[in-house]
Amino acid sequence: MSGTAFIVDDDEAIRDALTWLFKSRQVACRAWPSAESFLADWKESMRGCLVLDVRMDDMSGPELFELLAERGSQLPVIFLSGHGDIPLAVAAVKKGAYDFVEKPFNDNELVDRVIQALSYDASLHERQRGQATLASRLAQITPREREVMERILDGKYNKVIADELNIAMRTVEVHRARIFEKMGVKSAVELAQLLSSLK
Amino acid sequence: MSGTAFIVDDDEAIRDALTWLFKSRQVACRAWPSAESFLADWKESMRGCLVLDVRMDDMSGPELFELLAERGSQLPVIFLSGHGDIPLAVAAVKKGAYDFVEKPFNDNELVDRVIQALSYDASLHERQRGQATLASRLAQITPREREVMERILDGKYNKVIADELNIAMRTVEVHRARIFEKMGVKSAVELAQLLSSLK
DNA sequence: GCGGCAATTGTGGTTATCCGCAACACTGCT
DNA sequence: AGCAGTGTTGCGGATAACCACAATTGCCGC
């Protein structure tokens, strides 16, 4: 399996039990005793899923979840809750939590869901790679080229673009060619499709 | 408010209470005593939201929810549950339920959520209208034109398309022009953007 | 100041697209 | 048989896109 299960729970007994459980199923994992300590170690590049206790001292699970979301984390989160709070569970899932499991939980079921989440994160990672290369290509586009590009995507003729920007048609052609080159496409249609996946 | 709250509950007292509650807040509503009876009346064109009891005889709320989804309903669904079943709630929300409310519920809170759902459905309807006109335009495209269109969207030259389909370039040009006319665009770029919103 | 980069423009020629006009074959329906 | 719709093709010309070669201007950093 590609990712790691990140366990955050203030109960050492639970951390140990989960650690043992995951190891026994060949799922890599690592545990933290508090939301704050995990947040300190968190990095954008972490791949896997978060197994997060709802009720903890200081910062709660949902609070950590929101903080991570603000910082751009897309790590799938599985909440562990010990007190049947439906509004909390519904709110968490509506905000994008991957799953919500009641304690006491069935061991096998939990591991299965974690593995699902790891797989989900892996596919998410694939998508992000595509977006990243697209973004790096977009970053090479100069401001002037961007102006031309927008108009190309409106389906405007080079002549019209030239008029709007008060430049010669030849210049537009050059920009156009550079844009295609930098974006790795060879027609306006491909460019449109490439960018439509982002918007 | 544009839509109607569709109440499905086998408890007459609840149906009456909800009906009275919604009327008092100027929310149009209508009630059914069972999933089957609602299903019999359901039509694609119904706009509003579904307020659905989880536990009912014969067909349960979640079962009705899934059936409706299979039939293409996108009606937002608010579940009413009387027995704190977290896995059920989480499963429902993950499957796209709009909300999940525990009984006994706070009257104002429920109405607020219903109004939210009605508003959501209205915006959903807007989006669907765009998709509908697009679909009706696509329906006018003949099979042969569709073959040409796919290749246009691959950014291929008319000449290449002609070779692939073993027809003259002129024919491709004619198809191309018809496609643009029927789809209401005037360039391949616009066509690509129009269709990318669908895929 | 020199090199690099972005932006600009020109010339001239090749290739593609876009269109009006005209025509023919095939299918299905009346 | 006649009509409508679809698919097909040709001719010729107008318009636009694409491209290699060549060159100028202005800004920024070393």
Side-chain angles (χ1 to χ4, degrees):
Chain A
M1 188 53 63
S2 49
T4 304
F6 307 114
I7 302 163
V8 179
D9 198 312
D10 58 355
D11 182 337
E12 186 177 354
I14 299 263
R15 287 201 305 275
D16 290 346
L18 288 178
T19 300
W20 179 88
L21 171 63
F22 290 152
K23 300 268 190 210
S24 76
R25 291 280 295 268
Q26 279 83 50
V27 173
C29 69
R30 191 176 158 196
W32 284 261
S34 72
E36 289 84 354
S37 59
F38 176 78
L39 200 55
D41 288 351
W42 177 79
K43 288 172 190 172
E44 178 86 43
S45 60
M46 284 179 167
R47 313 284 2 161
C49 82
L50 198 52
V51 178
L52 186 52
D53 190 30
V54 168
R55 165 160 308 206
M56 290 184 292
D57 291 333
D58 296 328
M59 193 187 300
S60 74
E63 283 168 356
L64 174 59
F65 177 46
E66 285 211 47
L67 258 177
L68 286 173
E70 283 173 19
R71 302 194 182 179
S73 166
Q74 293 185 270
L75 226 47
V77 175
I78 296 176
F79 280 108
L80 297 183
S81 167
H83 29 293
D85 192 338
I86 286 202
L88 201 85
V90 171
V93 175
K94 283 176 77 173
K95 280 179 189 163
Y98 187 80
D99 217 328
F100 200 103
V101 176
E102 270 185 301
K103 285 192 270 193
F105 46 82
N106 175 292
D107 280 6
N108 282 325
E109 203 176 302
L110 178 63
V111 177
D112 287 345
R113 297 204 187 191
V114 167
I115 290 176
Q116 269 181 38
L118 292 178
S119 162
Y120 169 79
D121 184 61
S123 70
L124 195 69
H125 193 206
E126 282 306 303
R127 261 176 287 168
Q128 287 178 327
R129 297 234 298 192
Q131 303 264 302
T133 63
L134 206 170
S136 70
R137 285 176 177 176
L138 268 179
Q140 296 180 351
I141 300 292
T142 64
R144 195 58 162 170
E145 284 167 356
R146 196 174 305 270
E147 290 184 271
V148 174
M149 189 168 69
E150 290 169 7
R151 288 165 172 81
I152 290 175
L153 293 177
D154 286 339
K156 290 174 180 166
Y157 291 141
N158 285 351
K159 186 184 175 184
V160 176
I161 299 175
D163 284 346
E164 284 185 14
L165 299 180
N166 285 316
I167 53 180
M169 258 187 63
R170 187 65 186 88
T171 310
V172 178
E173 289 173 19
V174 173
H175 283 316
R176 190 182 186 112
R178 284 214 200 294
I179 291 168
F180 286 177
E181 189 191 349
K182 287 180 179 176
M183 298 302 288
V185 299
K186 57 187 226 312
S187 74
V189 176
E190 287 181 58
L191 183 65
Q193 293 186 331
L194 196 65
L195 294 182
S196 69
S197 71
L198 187 56
K199 279 181 180 173
Chain B
M1 188 51 65
S2 49
T4 304
F6 307 115
I7 302 163
V8 179
D9 199 311
D10 58 356
D11 183 337
E12 187 176 354
I14 300 263
R15 287 202 304 277
D16 290 347
L18 288 177
T19 300
W20 180 87
L21 170 63
F22 290 153
K23 301 268 190 210
S24 76
R25 291 279 296 268
Q26 280 81 49
V27 172
C29 69
R30 190 177 157 195
W32 285 260
S34 72
E36 288 85 354
S37 59
F38 176 78
L39 200 56
D41 288 351
W42 178 79
K43 289 174 190 169
E44 178 86 44
S45 61
M46 284 179 167
R47 314 282 4 158
C49 81
L50 197 51
V51 178
L52 185 53
D53 189 30
V54 168
R55 165 160 308 208
M56 290 184 292
D57 290 333
D58 296 328
M59 194 186 298
S60 74
E63 282 168 358
L64 173 59
F65 177 47
E66 285 212 45
L67 258 178
L68 286 174
E70 282 172 19
R71 301 192 183 179
S73 167
Q74 294 185 270
L75 227 49
V77 174
I78 296 177
F79 279 107
L80 296 182
S81 167
H83 30 293
D85 191 337
I86 285 202
L88 201 85
V90 170
V93 174
K94 284 176 75 175
K95 280 179 189 165
Y98 188 80
D99 218 328
F100 199 104
V101 177
E102 270 185 301
K103 287 191 271 193
F105 46 81
N106 174 293
D107 281 6
N108 281 325
E109 203 177 301
L110 178 63
V111 177
D112 288 345
R113 297 203 187 191
V114 167
I115 290 175
Q116 270 181 37
L118 292 178
S119 162
Y120 168 79
D121 184 60
S123 70
L124 195 69
H125 193 206
E126 283 306 304
R127 261 177 285 167
Q128 287 178 326
R129 296 233 297 190
Q131 304 263 301
T133 64
L134 207 170
S136 70
R137 285 177 176 174
L138 268 179
Q140 296 179 353
I141 300 292
T142 65
R144 194 58 161 172
E145 284 167 358
R146 195 174 307 269
E147 290 184 90
V148 174
M149 189 169 70
E150 290 170 8
R151 288 165 173 81
I152 291 175
L153 293 177
D154 286 339
K156 291 174 180 168
Y157 290 141
N158 284 352
K159 185 184 173 182
V160 177
I161 298 174
D163 285 346
E164 284 185 14
L165 299 181
N166 285 315
I167 53 179
M169 259 188 64
R170 188 64 185 90
T171 309
V172 178
E173 290 173 17
V174 173
H175 283 316
R176 191 181 186 115
R178 285 213 200 297
I179 291 167
F180 287 176
E181 189 191 349
K182 289 180 178 176
M183 298 302 288
V185 298
K186 56 186 224 314
S187 73
V189 176
E190 287 181 60
L191 184 65
Q193 293 185 330
L194 196 64
L195 293 183
S196 70
S197 71
L198 188 56
K199 281 181 180 173

